[in-house]
Amino acid sequence: MFLDTETIIERNDNPEPVFSLARDMWVERGTKADWDLLHDLHYKAEKLPIGPRFWRLELYGETIGVLVTGAPKGMLRERHIVFPNLKPGAGETKLTNTNRYNYINANFRVISRFVIDTMYRGIGAGYRMMNLVSRMEGNTFMEIQSSMSKFNVFGQKAGFRFVKPMNANKYEQVMRFFRSHFNASPQDFEAIVAEVEAKSPEEQQRIRDLCVDFYMRNSALENTSNGGAAMERRAAQMTLRDAIKGIQQIGLASPMYGIWKCPDPKGTVPDRLPLLAFDNQGPNERLKL
């Protein structure tokens, strides 16, 4: 015997797409082994930042995303625009410089490397993880310098606010250097290398030494690192490709600078969070568990 049944059909006027597996994704502390697993998918796979900390996106025990944070730079032009009181000025002393660096190290971290497995891109995992890790780090400010932020708004979706893009400090010097010594376009790395490799071994060595010298004199990273024998050793180990890549980086790169301020009191955010915890509040609001 069949009973009468009532069929109810509901219509959501504002449907939101949901990737069902996202409910089972978790953000937690990771290790360098997680980075080693996925780092080949990142365009800066060679080096890690100073003081790296690893975070992973986990699904059923497998690592499907890795975010690496690092220690912030002591001097950063774009940061000085946002925080003018941190900008050095006249009358600086060793004490004021030391206190500035101590303050920056205590209150800032920077998102240095971030990669999601290709199987899980385009589902909103990136900006959600970025926001949650920024909370879990426990610092007041999280920075990011990313060229991709010009084309992909994952940082903006995570709640970061960005400074207007600017040319690198050494843009003019680098352009003059490349145009004085190479026929290839300054932006075309492989064409420059090929142009040099077509020359005699003696000329290749001369140009390599020229490029290394220019890089060492103009790199802010090298000039704020330990000099002396260590700097000479790094210069001796540089290849032509290393030197050209370094010169392009200091003169042609123009990553966008973004900053995010944590709304959560320090020590209140767990070390492990479901990815969809991002959706419980706005990206700049206090976490609701």
Side-chain angles (χ1 to χ4, degrees), residues 55-128:
W55 299 85
R56 74 169 189 153
L57 183 62
E58 177 263 336
L59 175 65
Y60 303 141
E62 294 188 9
T63 299
I64 62 171
V66 180
L67 190 152
V68 185
T69 67
K73 296 178 180 178
M75 296 289 184
L76 198 57
R77 176 183 55 171
E78 291 83 357
R79 182 195 295 138
H80 295 156
I81 295 174
V82 183
F83 302 96
N85 290 337
L86 290 177
K87 182 179 181 180
E92 290 289 322
T93 66
K94 181 178 180 180
L95 178 63
T96 58
N97 278 320
T98 300
N99 286 336
R100 179 187 298 110
Y101 275 73
N102 287 339
Y103 177 82
I104 291 172
N105 285 330
N107 292 278
F108 288 76
R109 289 289 287 178
V110 58
I111 292 174
S112 179
R113 304 284 187 268
F114 189 21
V115 60
I116 298 290
D117 192 305
T118 53
M119 289 285 290
Y120 300 99
R121 295 181 182 177
I123 63 170
Y127 65 85
R128 287 180 170 91

Side-chain angles (χ1 to χ4, degrees), residues 26-39 48-49 51-58 61-69 113 115 129 133 137 271:
W26 289 78
V27 180
E28 61 186 13
R29 287 274 187 178
T31 66
K32 187 176 181 296
D34 296 303
W35 169 249
D36 293 338
L37 182 66
L38 295 178
H39 82 279
L48 284 170
R53 289 205 284 259
F54 303 91
W55 299 85
R56 74 169 189 153
L57 183 62
E58 177 263 336
E62 294 188 9
T63 299
I64 62 171
V66 180
L67 190 152
V68 185
T69 67
R113 304 284 187 268
V115 60
M129 183 180 181
V133 168
E137 272 283 350
D271 287 337

